[in-house]
Amino acid sequence: MSNLGFHSIYHQINSREDSLCHRAFVSLMDENFSRIQAFESEQPLDVYDILGFSISFELDYINVLKILDRSGLPLLAKDRERPLVIAGGPAVTFNPEPLTPFFDAFVIGEGEEVIHEIIETFTNLRHRSKQEILESLSAVQGVYVPDFYEVKYDKTGRVLEFTAKNKAHDCIRKRWIKKLDDIKTESVILTPNTEFKDMFLLEVSRGCGRNCRFCMAGYCYRVPRARSLGYVLDRAEFGFKFKKKIGLVGAAISDYPYIDELSENFIRRQIKFSVSSLRADTLREPLMEGLARSGHRTLTIAPEAGSQRLRDVINKGINEGHVLNSISLAHKYGIHNVKLYYIIGLPTETDGDIDEMIDFLVQIKDFMKKIGNKTGNLSISVNPFIPKPWTPFQWVGMESIDTLNKKINRLKNSLKPKGIRVIFESPRLSEIQSALARGDRLMGILLYEAYKLGGKTSSYKKIEIEGRNIEYYAHRHLAFEDTLPWDHIDIGLKKEYFINEYKRALQGKFTRRCTDEICSTCRICQHK
C-alpha cells in the first residue's frame, strides 16, 4: 500500500468513466488458506476482467502464486480463460521470464500511459476469445505477451533462440513518461494501515543517471526526469493538509535539481518532510536543516563498497571525505545517529577491501567522538551482491554462500566490540533472489515446484529440473556472446554499452553522470 506505482495506476484507472479498480492483498500473517477478496467490494477476484500485479521484488514472486491460489484461480496461464492476469513494476521490466508460466501479459516500463491503451483494447474486444485479446494487446508498445514467443535452449541451459510468433514484435520496447508533471504519482489512498501511515508520499523525480554499475533502477528507468519546483510545492501543500509529514520519493533526493529551494520553502512554510534516499556527495545545509526540523534522528547514506578501489569499480562516485563531511553536517543540525549501507561480494572484491571497510568504520566511530557526537549510534546494513539484468554486472554470478557468510561473520566479530551494530541479509535469501533475477522460463517451473512444496526458503533447495537448480541460476557466469534470457526486452540501451561499462569497471574508470545538459554517455536520449 506504500508503493507509489500502485497508487498511480489505481488513480489512472479510476479516473476513467468506463473503468473501476479495486485493491486486493494477501496477508503473510494468515497461515490458513482463506479466500482472497477485493478490499472495496468484498468480491472474489475471479469476477474481475483483469487482475493486475505491481511487482517490485523477486522474493514476492512466491506471493504472486499464493494470491492466485487463494483466489481460486489456476496458477498457470494456459489453464485460465478469465480474468486476464497482467503484471508490471521494476522486477518484470528488467526480466519477466521466470514469471511467464503464470501471466498472460506484462507491462515493460512505466504504466501510467499504457494502462489506458490496455483498457481500451480490452473494452473493444471483451467478448472475443482470450487469444484474440492477447493478439491485440501484443501490438501495444510496452506490452509483452509471453505465449507469442518461443525460446530454445541448449543442453547447458543457455538460450539458443528467441522467436516471435503471431505477428508479435521481435523486441518489446520499454514505455516511459516524458513529462512527469503531466501525471500524478503521489498518495491517493490515505490509510493508517500501511508502512508510512503518517506520510503523504510524493514523487519528485524518476530515473537516475549516476551510472552505478550494480544498480538496475539506474538503467531501466533512465532517462532521469525531475518534476518542476512549483509542481512539488503545490502537491506538498495539498498533502500536508492530511498528513503530518511529506515523504519525498526519488532515486536520490539530494540529486533533485531544486532540492535547496524546496528545503528552504518547506522550512518557511513549516512543512515537515522525509526522504527516500540521500547521496553523501550532494548533501547540503538546506536539506539537512529541513530534515532536522522535521524530526530526523538518523543520517542514512550508502558508501556501498568497502574500499575506494571498489567504489571506483562500481562507479559510486563518492569517497571517504564525502561520508565524513555528511556525518559532520548532520551532527551540526542535531542528527547524531548514522546508518551506512554496504554490499559485499561485489565483482573483484578481496579481503583487502573488507580490511579497508573495517578500518574506515572504526575511523568513523572515532570521528563521531572527535566532533562531539558522543551519544550517536553507528550501524551498518550489509547485503550480498545480487547480479541484476540490464547492468554491467549482469554476466557475473553471485558469490558463494560460504564465502559471504565468512565475510559477514568477520564484520560482526570485528565491529561489534567497537560498538558498531551490524545488520545483514541472509545470503540464502539473496541466493533465491539472484536466481529469480537472472532466471529464464525454466526458473519459473522451479518456482512453481517450490510453491507446491510450501514456498519456504528450504523448498527451493529440494528442486532440480533438467539438471538445473537454484544454485545454477544464482551463481552461473554468462558470456558476452550469450543470448541472455531478457535480450528481447528493449530498454533503450544496447548490449555493447554494458560490455564497455563492464570493461571500464575492471579498469576502475569513472563514467560521468547523465544529465539533461550532457548526453554523451549512453545515448539513450537519442533512442526516445
Side-chain angles (χ1 to χ4, degrees), residues 286-302:
L287 176 56
M288 189 62 75
E289 181 182 356
L291 292 174
R293 287 174 178 265
S294 299
H296 275 248
R297 296 293 177 263
T298 301
L299 170 70
T300 303
I301 50 180

Side-chain angles (χ1 to χ4, degrees), residues 157 192 295 360 362 470:
F360 180 53
V362 173
I470 288 293

Side-chain angles (χ1 to χ4, degrees), residues 9 21 63 95 98 132 142 153 168 189 192 225 314 320 326 344 352 365 371 406 408 466 489 499:
I9 300 303
C21 181
N63 295 322
N95 182 20
E132 290 175 288
Y153 305 92
I189 298 168
R225 290 144 288 159
I314 66 174
E320 293 181 355
S326 297
I344 58 171
K365 190 71 175 176
I371 61 175
K406 287 177 182 176
I408 290 171
E466 297 180 15
I489 305 298
I499 292 173

Side-chain angles (χ1 to χ4, degrees), residues 380-447:
I380 64 168
S381 177
V382 180
N383 297 278
F385 166 68
I386 297 169
K388 297 280 187 171
W390 298 115
T391 69
F393 296 144
Q394 62 186 339
W395 293 279
V396 181
M398 178 183 166
E399 198 166 56
S400 74
I401 301 295
D402 287 345
T403 302
L404 289 167
N405 279 326
K406 287 177 182 176
K407 290 179 178 180
I408 290 171
N409 288 331
R410 186 175 169 213
L411 288 169
K412 287 162 53 180
N413 293 335
S414 300
L415 296 174
K416 283 189 176 181
K418 302 293 185 180
I420 302 170
R421 185 184 179 203
V422 179
I423 308 163
F424 60 93
E425 179 178 283
S426 161
R428 189 64 65 192
L429 279 176
S430 297
E431 183 180 57
I432 296 170
Q433 187 180 347
S434 177
L436 292 169
R438 296 194 305 151
D440 53 26
R441 295 189 176 191
L442 184 62
M443 181 66 237
I445 303 303
L446 283 167
L447 177 68

